[in-house]
Amino acid sequence: MRDDRTLTFRNGHRVTLVAHGTDERGPYLRLEHVLPQSERQAGPHWHPVLSERWTVRQGRVRYRVDGAEIIANPGDTVTAPARTVHEFWSEAPDTVVDHEIRPPLRHWEMFRLWHNLDRAGKTTRAGVPRDPLALALLWDYQDGYLAGIPAWLQRGALGGLARVAQRCGYRRRWLESGSDLG
């Protein structure tokens, strides 16, 4: 039986859905990341609505949040509020991080989409989808923006390509092979 709550990428990165729901602070998604290699995990980006919080359980992660560099060791927690540019790198092999997203929007679906593209060999070594339509759909599901590129330009270019990807069946092809939250 397949475990739909754990996604393993070709580079060994494992993302496990730990919990999702609503508490006194609103809707949340909790994930665990196991990062086998020391490497960049996410380039500079920001989210208009959601905030992220990471707690390092094992290893070390370097974050840049709103221009400030933070080295997080086991037990340390780092937060990126909505509208704050952030990026991060794992700096030790076999790093384990708890990741909370509020509100989750479509973050789990984004990881599922990315995983399905990766497992099919449709991404580069850095994990970037080779197909511009798949890249645009992944951008759409991350519910955020790349830093340094005007949001209006991303909405126009990538948002437009994401709509074309939807019409061409990319969501059905790359997302509906696993289950959504629920």
Side-chain angles (χ1 to χ4, degrees), residues 39-57:
E39 61 188 357
R40 176 186 285 276
Q41 298 300 322
H45 66 285
W46 59 278
H47 307 280
V49 176
L50 65 85
S51 66
E52 297 181 88
R53 184 175 78 177
W54 305 270
T55 300
V56 177
R57 287 194 1 235

Side-chain angles (χ1 to χ4, degrees), residues 38-100:
S38 300
E39 61 188 357
R40 176 186 285 276
Q41 298 300 322
H45 66 285
W46 59 278
H47 307 280
V49 176
L50 65 85
S51 66
E52 297 181 88
R53 184 175 78 177
W54 305 270
T55 300
V56 177
R57 287 194 1 235
Q58 176 181 313
R60 184 175 61 239
V61 181
R62 179 169 40 106
Y63 295 89
R64 187 169 298 127
V65 179
D66 201 20
E69 192 142 319
I70 304 161
I71 302 296
N73 292 298
D76 293 340
T77 297
V78 175
T79 301
R83 306 193 72 74
T84 303
V85 174
H86 55 283
E87 61 184 311
F88 51 98
W89 303 259
S90 55
E91 292 206 326
D94 301 317
T95 292
V96 179
V97 177
D98 293 329
H99 182 196
E100 183 178 86

Side-chain angles (χ1 to χ4, degrees), residues 9 47 106-118 122-124 126-146 154 158-159 161-163 165-166 170-171 174-175:
F9 291 78
H47 307 280
R106 297 181 299 171
H107 240 63
W108 178 244
E109 290 79 7
M110 179 215 45
F111 278 114
R112 283 189 37 248
L113 171 61
W114 197 358
H115 169 260
N116 292 344
L117 290 165
D118 180 73
K122 303 295 183 183
T123 60
T124 66
V128 177
R130 289 187 179 98
D131 180 333
L133 293 177
L135 175 65
L137 191 60
L138 184 64
W139 169 86
D140 189 46
Y141 272 77
Q142 69 128 2
D143 300 304
Y145 295 93
L146 304 170
Q154 292 179 62
L158 293 171
L161 285 174
R163 287 188 296 279
Q166 291 272 12
Y170 275 58
R171 182 186 192 289
W174 296 111
L175 254 178

